Amino acid sequence: QVQLVESGGGLVQAGGSLRLSCAASGSIFIRNIMGWYRQAPGKQRELVATETSGGTTNYADSVKGRFTISRDNGKKTLYLQMNVLKPEDTGLYYCNFRFTDSAHNWWGQGTQVTVSS
């Protein structure tokens, strides 16, 4: 069983920055992928960025060069540094965890990010 708790969301003006955190608990010491997804009102949930336990990262084209995903495996915490935020980055940001050899996903409760123009 894996539990995920996100924090760090908020209201920011366009061009500003936020840092999201996701604290994981449970047995996550085997190969896994953690990531951030977001969902805007009326839209489907979409991938923002992922990072494997081995350090391989993947980003959506819309956030490349502005967002940076990182993880501290010792603290079992995932981060998302978001810079040069745009109004279209507004949404509910979810933390995701999956073991590499499993299709089962765990999700956090989400943290709201609102970017005003």
Side-chain angles (χ1 to χ4, degrees):
Q1 190 75 6
V2 176
Q3 294 82 40
L4 305 170
V5 178
E6 302 100 332
S7 61
L11 173 64
V12 64
Q13 288 188 331
S17 299
L18 282 173
R19 188 192 194 205
L20 306 183
S21 299
C22 171
S25 59
S27 299
I28 63 168
F29 296 107
I30 58 177
R31 291 181 300 166
N32 61 74
I33 301 173
M34 295 186 74
W36 292 96
Y37 292 72
R38 66 187 180 191
Q39 188 166 18
K43 295 187 176 181
Q44 289 189 330
R45 191 175 298 187
E46 63 177 2
L47 178 144
V48 175
T50 62
E51 183 170 356
T52 71
S53 49
T56 301
T57 58
N58 179 53
Y59 293 91
D61 288 342
S62 60
V63 306
K64 284 181 180 177
R66 300 188 297 122
F67 291 10
T68 302
I69 191 170
S70 62
R71 54 191 290 172
D72 184 328
N73 289 326
K75 294 182 179 180
K76 296 195 285 186
T77 301
L78 181 74
Y79 304 98
L80 184 69
Q81 178 66 45
M82 304 186 293
N83 298 327
V84 194
L85 282 160
K86 303 176 181 180
E88 51 264 43
D89 294 318
T90 294
L92 193 57
Y93 281 67
Y94 294 94
C95 181
N96 172 268
F97 177 92
R98 178 173 66 83
F99 290 110
T100 304
D101 60 355
S102 171
H104 183 78
N105 287 275
W106 279 270
W107 297 94
Q109 81 288 351
T111 185
Q112 179 67 37
V113 171
T114 303
V115 184
S116 62
S117 57

